Amino acid sequence: MRRHFRAAGLILLGLAVLSVAVIVPLGALQATGVTEFNRWVGWATIAALPVAAVGLVLLVWEKFARSLGRSEMSGAAAEDELAALVLAQGQVTRSRLIGTDEVGDQAANVRFVKGSGRFREVGGASEGGLLSVLEYYQSLSPGRMVVLGEPGAGKTVLALELIIRLLEQRKPEEGAPVPVLVSAAAYDTTAPWDEWLATHLARQFSIGTQVAARLVRDGQILPVLDGLDEMGPPGDAERARTLVMALNSYMRGRERAAVVVTCRFEEYQALGKNIDRATHIEMIPLTGYEAAAYLSDQLIGEQEGHLWEPVLADLRANPHGLLASQLATPWRLTLALTVFRDLGDPVELLPGPALTPTADQYAQRVDRLLLSRYVSAKVRLHTREGGYTRDQVQRWLIALAAGLDWQARHGGSGTDIQLDRWWRTIGRRVPQLAHVVMVAALGVPWLVIATVGHQPSLAITGAAFLAFAILAGFPSRPARLKVGHLTSRRFVMRLPLWLIGGLVFGLLDAIPWGRPVGLAGPLVAGFTMTLVAALLIGMLDSSPQTVGPRDVIRADGRTGLAFGLVFGLVVGLVFGLAGGSGLLYGLAVGVTFGLAATLSSGAFVWTRYHIGVVIGAVRGSGPISFGAFLDWAQQAGLLRSSGIAYQFRHKQLQDWLAQFA
């Protein structure tokens, strides 16, 4: 039956095409004047529309019937695909966080203890570690855990280890929830938590919003929120408190829903609110023995081992001394390995025998020593992949850190570099004005020709671009085309309004043309253009096509290109044939209308992104190949990706660079 529906739809659509391709040329050949030619075009188009509509209805119905037949499987299939995708992403992210870029390498075996104080008792042993985090979490009831620790203590690595181990032992038939790493800073505090989570998953992993909402509703998603302390500028914890209250109201039946949260210890204490019914664990700093053991495993060759021997000896001899306190976290160990693997002598890390510094003085010296050299080391170690200079990379990273600081001060994420929104950080008004002027400029040639040639109809055509310019002034979300949206109730309910609007547009369009053209041509023009616009807009989807940060822009650009080509072609044919103004004129109108539609609405995000990139390149705050640079920085270990956003490799690196902005 489905094959019959598809075949019938294709046949009728073929008849629609043939009716235009055959009737129009035959009628045109026999026409004796412009009026008769337009009559043939008008009647052929009118005849083709109902046939095409019937074919479209059959195809949409076939699509709808097929989706109904497999609706029960779509949720489970999406869940399994999501689990596989999260596992693959988690393994890559983990390998980059531990600084090796190899999936199988081991991170430092950080340990944790169960927190004490005013946290409610909900289970969990007194201590655990990276290798036992899965068993520790599975012993909790409910599955709510807060990971606290100092900067660089390994909170994110511990969370990723938990996600990977949960997914490795997950069996689809058992219906275990899928753990997903979510940036806490991305949370929109104006939206209900469960609704925002579903929308975020749909955007991040390109699954249907309804499917994502069902997974969240049924408890099939375990949100692992990373960076509760990164939700606002220092000293402003309002957004973080809002999220804590939302998580305390996040229910699964009569119990609090499972959730894992990471946060710096001091910032969590300053909130004044705790995540209820959660086990709180605190990361333990590495001892000198543990740091020395990890460094020994990571050293390459005898020469590197010889250089590091004085450092290793000090760590073993003074396991709680000044040096051990500065290399007590996985992040600091990664920093030290990277910096001195590139250039210099690790002996510089030693406190020195002459004047023993205080703990604060020594910490500041080590910060300067490691953080000031980290970018340079990464650039030199990855020269072949990028070809960027140290000064360029340093300047562009400082601009990124300043942009994140701007976002945090304006109620946005202080850690997520999301390309579809990044243009706001360079000055909201400048890109907006440039966008409006760019689109409005497309109508200038028509106005000039109309003035010189005294053709009012061309003036109206030029003025139509003002509508596109107005659209360009209002922000829009990234989009892609999705045929399945044509079966939605929302589209079916709105379609009659679109068609009525098309008829009204056709009647108004007949006024400037006058009686030589008549009513049929403009009426068909308005109806056809509106129908095509309705179909295109009905297929727009607000989720990215794939899950990479740059894919959001690419999907929006492809959508805009399709939108512009189809819309421009239809407008060109209608104006050139049904409008009676000639094919050359119609194609000229179609090209400019299609371009205006693409830039103003079809590829709005793509256009704004590139406008922002150009402005940033002119100012020197970023390269013209902005996306390629971000990918290089991710490969080099300066940035990392989190779903559809880039982030700095570590917040400490971001804060260090931000002070130079």
Side-chain angles (χ1 to χ4, degrees):
M1 181 62 69
R2 292 175 182 171
R3 289 196 300 269
H4 295 325
F5 272 120
R6 186 183 294 111
L10 291 175
I11 290 172
L12 288 173
L13 285 176
L15 290 175
V17 174
L18 287 175
S19 66
V20 176
V22 175
I23 296 176
V24 170
L26 290 178
L29 290 175
Q30 298 178 4
T32 58
V34 175
T35 303
E36 188 176 353
F37 176 81
N38 289 334
R39 188 179 300 112
W40 276 103
V41 173
W43 283 112
T45 310
I46 293 174
L49 281 174
V51 179
V54 173
L56 179 64
V57 168
L58 290 175
L59 287 176
V60 170
W61 173 254
E62 188 272 339
K63 175 84 174 177
F64 181 68
R66 184 172 55 185
S67 64
L68 287 178
R70 63 181 184 181
S71 60
E72 296 299 324
M73 298 176 57
S74 60
E79 187 178 335
D80 294 340
E81 291 178 6
L82 179 62
L85 185 59
V86 172
L87 177 59
Q89 286 186 337
Q91 290 171 330
V92 173
T93 303
R94 175 188 176 278
S95 69
R96 287 176 175 163
L97 280 178
I98 63 178
T100 63
D101 291 330
E102 297 293 337
V103 175
D105 288 348
Q106 293 296 319
N109 185 24
V110 291
R111 295 174 294 114
F112 56 83
V113 295
K114 186 177 179 180
S116 58
R118 49 200 175 93
F119 308 130
R120 294 182 62 181
E121 180 68 30
V122 291
S126 60
E127 62 181 21
L130 185 71
L131 301 180
S132 62
V133 65
L134 173 63
E135 293 76 15
Y136 190 93
Y137 177 76
Q138 289 179 330
S139 70
L140 304 180
S141 181
R144 292 165 68 86
M145 184 169 72
V146 178
V147 183
L148 303 173
E150 299 302 320
K155 301 182 293 295
T156 302
V157 173
L158 184 74
L160 283 168
E161 189 74 17
L162 175 60
I163 290 174
I164 292 170
R165 290 175 179 262
L166 282 169
L167 291 172
E168 285 178 338
Q169 57 92 50
R170 179 181 180 273
K171 296 179 180 179
E173 62 272 13
E174 295 179 356
V178 179
V180 179
L181 188 69
V182 179
S183 171
Y187 175 53
D188 180 2
T189 55
T190 63
W193 162 250
D194 51 351
E195 293 181 11
W196 176 86
L197 180 60
T199 303
H200 183 76
L201 292 176
R203 285 176 49 78
Q204 182 170 338
F205 296 104
S206 189
I207 57 179
T209 304
Q210 293 182 349
V211 174
R214 186 162 61 250
L215 293 177
V216 173
R217 180 199 64 196
D218 295 342
Q220 294 306 110
I221 299 296
L222 169 61
V224 180
L225 286 155
D226 188 34
L228 181 66
D229 54 283
E230 298 170 354
M231 292 191 68
D236 185 0
E238 189 60 34
R239 294 185 70 235
R241 291 192 191 96
T242 302
L243 178 54
V244 169
M245 289 188 291
L247 294 178
N248 286 341
S249 302
Y250 185 37
M251 304 295 292
R252 174 68 173 150
R254 294 182 297 172
E255 184 56 272
R256 300 288 191 275
V259 66
V260 177
V261 179
T262 72
C263 186
R264 293 184 182 183
F265 186 81
E266 291 185 4
E267 283 78 355
Y268 189 79
Q269 295 287 346
L271 289 177
K273 293 181 179 294
N274 297 325
I275 296 178
D276 195 22
R277 295 285 291 163
T279 295
H280 292 66
I281 61 175
E282 301 171 14
M283 307 296 293
I284 302 175
L286 298 172
T287 66
Y289 297 115
E290 292 169 329
Y294 177 76
L295 288 171
S296 298
D297 290 339
Q298 299 296 321
L299 296 179
I300 303 173
E302 294 184 4
Q303 182 178 2
E304 195 170 67
H306 177 72
L307 290 174
W308 278 90
E309 186 54 41
V311 174
L312 300 179
D314 187 279
L315 290 172
R316 296 184 183 111
N318 303 286
H320 301 288
L322 287 177
L323 177 61
S325 68
Q326 292 305 306
L327 298 181
T329 66
W331 162 238
R332 303 289 279 190
L333 292 172
T334 299
L335 267 178
L337 280 169
T338 301
V339 167
F340 293 110
R341 182 160 288 166
D342 169 63
L343 191 66
D345 191 338
V347 173
E348 296 180 66
L349 288 168
L350 297 175
L355 295 174
T356 302
T358 64
D360 288 341
Q361 291 173 335
Y362 180 64
Q364 292 174 6
R365 180 163 75 84
V366 174
D367 277 346
R368 289 193 300 270
L369 178 63
L370 297 180
L371 291 171
S372 64
R373 298 183 183 181
Y374 185 68
V375 174
S376 299
K378 284 296 187 181
V379 171
R380 280 192 288 268
L381 290 171
H382 293 80
T383 300
R384 292 182 180 179
E385 299 178 22
Y388 304 110
T389 67
R390 180 259 182 195
D391 290 339
Q392 285 177 326
V393 174
Q394 186 90 0
R395 182 172 70 254
W396 296 337
L397 291 178
I398 289 173
L400 289 177
L404 290 172
D405 181 65
W406 183 91
Q407 284 189 164
R409 287 185 284 104
H410 289 79
S413 171
T415 58
D416 294 328
I417 303 168
Q418 197 166 318
L419 298 188
D420 60 310
R421 302 174 181 175
W422 192 248
W423 59 269
R424 294 179 174 91
T425 64
I426 66 173
R428 192 180 187 116
R429 298 301 179 189
V430 176
Q432 184 182 41
L433 179 61
H435 197 173
V436 171
V437 171
M438 178 191 301
V439 176
L442 295 174
V444 172
W446 296 100
L447 294 175
V448 172
I449 295 173
T451 303
V452 174
H454 304 288
Q455 301 183 44
S457 61
L458 293 184
I460 294 175
T461 301
F465 287 93
L466 294 177
F468 289 113
I470 293 173
L471 285 176
F474 294 93
S476 179
R477 297 172 62 184
R480 68 182 177 111
L481 292 177
K482 192 171 183 181
V483 179
H485 284 196
L486 297 180
T487 63
S488 66
R489 182 174 181 272
R490 181 180 181 183
F491 173 76
V492 174
M493 296 296 292
R494 290 187 175 184
L495 184 58
L497 297 177
W498 276 93
L499 298 181
I500 293 173
L503 293 175
V504 174
F505 175 73
L507 291 172
L508 295 176
D509 190 42
I511 297 174
W513 294 101
R515 295 192 57 81
V517 174
L519 183 62
L523 195 61
V524 170
F527 187 81
T528 304
M529 287 189 295
T530 308
L531 178 60
V532 171
L535 294 176
L536 288 172
I537 294 175
M539 289 188 289
L540 290 180
D541 184 55
S542 60
S543 61
Q545 192 166 1
T546 50
V547 297
R550 294 181 68 187
D551 291 319
V552 178
I553 303 299
R554 290 167 177 162
D556 191 74
R558 287 191 294 266
T559 299
L561 180 61
F563 190 93
L565 285 175
V566 175
F567 188 76
L569 180 62
V570 170
V571 169
L573 291 176
V574 166
F575 270 79
L577 298 179
S581 301
L583 186 59
L584 184 62
Y585 168 80
L587 290 178
V589 173
V591 168
T592 50
F593 265 73
L595 183 59
T598 298
L599 297 178
S600 63
S601 54
F604 176 92
V605 171
W606 182 91
T607 305
R608 278 287 172 96
Y609 163 75
H610 284 91
I611 289 174
V613 167
V614 171
I615 294 175
V618 171
R619 294 178 176 177
S621 60
I624 196 67
S625 55
F626 185 63
F629 167 70
L630 295 179
D631 284 343
W632 172 85
Q634 179 186 347
Q635 293 294 327
L638 294 166
L639 302 178
R640 62 179 179 177
S641 62
S642 177
I644 57 176
Y646 295 96
Q647 297 176 342
F648 272 90
R649 165 67 176 78
H650 196 275
K651 188 63 164 58
Q652 193 176 47
L653 174 62
Q654 176 185 330
D655 293 340
W656 171 266
L657 292 168
Q659 66 180 322
F660 303 108

